Amino acid sequence: MLTWNRPRFLDASLTSLLSNIADRHRCEVLVLDNGSDEATKEVLARYTGHRISGSSR
């Protein structure tokens, strides 16, 4: 998933995605951040226990 300065949409997307994955232990979500502000990093920090990996430029 790609993101850039859209923390509300990122949060909504991750919430929706996670609610539709039957077995969360068998998948990983990769979020590629193209240098967003701190709000995007704060959203990603809320999902640390869900096998979501964030990468920043």
Side-chain angles (χ1 to χ4, degrees):
M1 177 182 293
L2 300 174
T3 189
W4 183 74
N5 286 338
R6 299 279 192 245
R8 284 185 309 162
F9 297 116
L10 177 61
D11 194 25
S13 296
L14 291 173
T15 298
S16 178
L17 181 64
L18 290 173
S19 71
N20 287 293
I21 296 174
D23 187 358
R24 293 182 191 170
H25 300 288
R26 296 187 59 160
C27 68
E28 181 177 14
V29 177
L30 300 175
V31 178
L32 301 175
D33 174 21
N34 194 18
S36 296
D37 57 21
E38 288 300 314
T40 300
K41 294 174 180 90
E42 291 169 9
V43 169
L44 286 174
R46 291 196 296 261
Y47 290 92
T48 55
H50 296 281
R51 293 184 49 106
I52 295 180
S53 301
S55 178
S56 219
R57 194 190 226 219

